[in-house]
Amino acid sequence: ATMVTSALAAAAAVIVCHHVTLGYEPARHLIARRSILSKAAAAAATTAAATLGVPDVSMASPSSATPIADRLDATTLKLPPPSMGSELNGVDNFYYADWLEGEWDVTQTLNRAETPLGLKYVGGPSGSEAIAAKSMEEQRRQIGVPVNLRLRWVKTKFGVAEDRLFNTKSRLDSFAGRSVVSSVEYANVGGSNRASVLALGGSEDDPLQTTVVRFKGPAAQKVFVVGHAEEPGPDNKDTWAGREVLRSIFALTNQNTAPPVTTDTESIWHFVRVDAKTVKARLRIASYLNAQTDALYFDAKNRAVSFADYDLLMKRV
């Protein structure tokens, strides 16, 4: 039980602090999740698969007209709407600048962690300011601490996409400081599925939108892409900005009856190509409350409740 509890606590810490599939997520559920996971691990007798549902995006609020790159420094943000433009073709994904194709050694450093609406909004499902204070204190201890990892983007017929299988494991393990991921798999959904990719000339290896992470312990995470937008530099082919909204469902996979925890986050990217082998980037993770989990959801009015801002230095392998 001790080993399982430790593994689950590590997985929860990484998920909560570093945004699940991308390797980072705001810390508002850290302590609450650790408590749930520890109690569940001690009581676990068998392992069963969790059933994770399709996200409800009907409450998404309209985005402001702010250009994507400007969202990196905005003091307030609202949850962007779901993107449905290519939902029916089955090959929808978040496609990046062509020059990101390849494998990169990355140094990622947190430089700021903020709670624009106040501490109570990051205090877990019940809005506990005590939990919020401890969570933010833990996250802010990571400011200025570099994390080294390797990331990969792959070229497809439809554009350059993140290798979510590779990057998910790399980010989660790197931020945890040890191996916490057992496996990562793609899941088929209507807007992004293997049958459609193959029918339209893609390959078996092309990334899909939705992933399922299984941890080394009775826990799993399913992550959906709710919306995305891309914005090449208007006058400079060496800059690119984009944003992606993710809905993540974290669940225990044993017989414990603790309900799944659902979180919504927006990843805002700005890449600058320095030369053929070097890219500098900024990343903001904006966290939003979720109607299925958070008591203060309606009070937040679809505004971001926390920001985690990172600098990245990327060197081509």
Side-chain angles (χ1 to χ4, degrees):
T2 301
M3 293 180 64
V4 175
T5 299
S6 176
L8 284 173
V14 175
I15 291 166
V16 179
C17 292
H18 306 292
H19 183 253
V20 199
T21 45
L22 295 182
Y24 31 64
E25 182 185 31
R28 60 191 174 90
H29 291 302
L30 177 58
I31 296 174
R33 285 191 194 179
R34 277 182 169 171
S35 176
I36 291 170
L37 292 172
S38 296
K39 292 177 183 177
T46 61
T47 300
T51 301
L52 303 178
V54 177
D56 173 14
V57 298
S58 62
M59 294 298 292
S61 138
S63 168
S64 70
T66 306
I68 293 173
D70 291 347
R71 294 176 72 82
L72 289 162
D73 297 306
T75 56
T76 60
L77 289 176
K78 296 198 76 174
L79 182 67
S83 57
M84 306 297 288
S86 54
E87 176 70 17
L88 299 180
N89 65 19
V91 297
D92 188 42
N93 214 325
F94 186 35
Y95 294 111
Y96 292 75
D98 290 346
W99 37 264
L100 279 173
E101 178 190 359
E103 200 160 309
W104 302 82
D105 280 331
V106 178
T107 301
Q108 181 170 323
T109 307
L110 179 68
N111 63 61
R112 184 171 59 180
E114 301 291 341
T115 56
L117 301 187
L119 275 177
K120 71 177 182 179
Y121 287 93
V122 295
S126 63
S128 167
E129 291 198 23
I131 288 178
K134 292 179 181 178
S135 298
M136 291 307 298
E137 179 183 357
E138 181 163 340
Q139 188 175 33
R140 284 171 176 153
R141 281 203 296 266
Q142 303 306 312
I143 292 176
V145 179
V147 176
N148 297 314
L149 63 157
R150 183 165 287 190
L151 299 177
R152 180 190 295 162
W153 282 262
V154 297
K155 185 177 182 179
T156 75
K157 176 182 177 181
F158 315 104
V160 170
E162 180 178 11
D163 184 341
R164 297 182 192 269
L165 302 186
F166 182 90
N167 290 359
T168 294
K169 180 172 174 55
S170 179
R171 283 172 167 136
L172 288 168
D173 287 347
S174 295
F175 276 92
R178 64 182 186 275
S179 177
V180 296
V181 174
S182 176
S183 66
V184 187
E185 300 173 349
Y186 287 123
N188 292 307
V189 296
S192 176
N193 60 81
R194 187 63 60 201
S196 295
V197 168
L198 295 174
L200 292 175
S203 78
E204 286 282 358
D205 298 323
D206 286 354
L208 301 180
Q209 281 187 345
T210 304
T211 57
V212 176
V213 181
R214 291 181 172 84
F215 294 94
K216 294 181 177 179
Q221 182 90 22
K222 192 168 188 177
V223 183
F224 305 85
V225 175
V226 176
H228 59 85
E230 298 80 25
E231 189 174 84
D235 302 312
N236 187 347
K237 63 182 180 180
D238 292 327
T239 66
W240 183 93
R243 59 169 174 78
E244 184 177 46
V245 177
L246 300 174
R247 175 157 295 175
S248 306
I249 305 174
F250 182 85
L252 297 169
T253 56
N254 53 28
Q255 291 181 332
N256 187 274
T257 58
V261 176
T262 303
T263 60
D264 291 336
T265 54
E266 178 188 9
S267 302
I268 306 164
W269 292 93
H270 184 252
F271 293 92
V272 177
R273 179 169 57 172
V274 178
D275 55 45
K277 295 185 177 181
T278 307
V279 169
K280 291 184 177 181
R282 294 179 63 194
L283 169 66
R284 164 170 280 188
I285 304 302
S287 176
Y288 300 86
L289 299 190
N290 183 274
Q292 299 177 36
T293 302
D294 298 293
L296 295 175
Y297 170 76
F298 291 103
D299 292 339
K301 300 178 181 179
N302 278 333
R303 295 171 295 174
V305 299
S306 71
F307 298 137
D309 294 334
Y310 295 87
D311 293 320
L312 293 86
L313 177 63
M314 305 169 57
K315 294 288 186 180
R316 187 178 295 279
V317 176

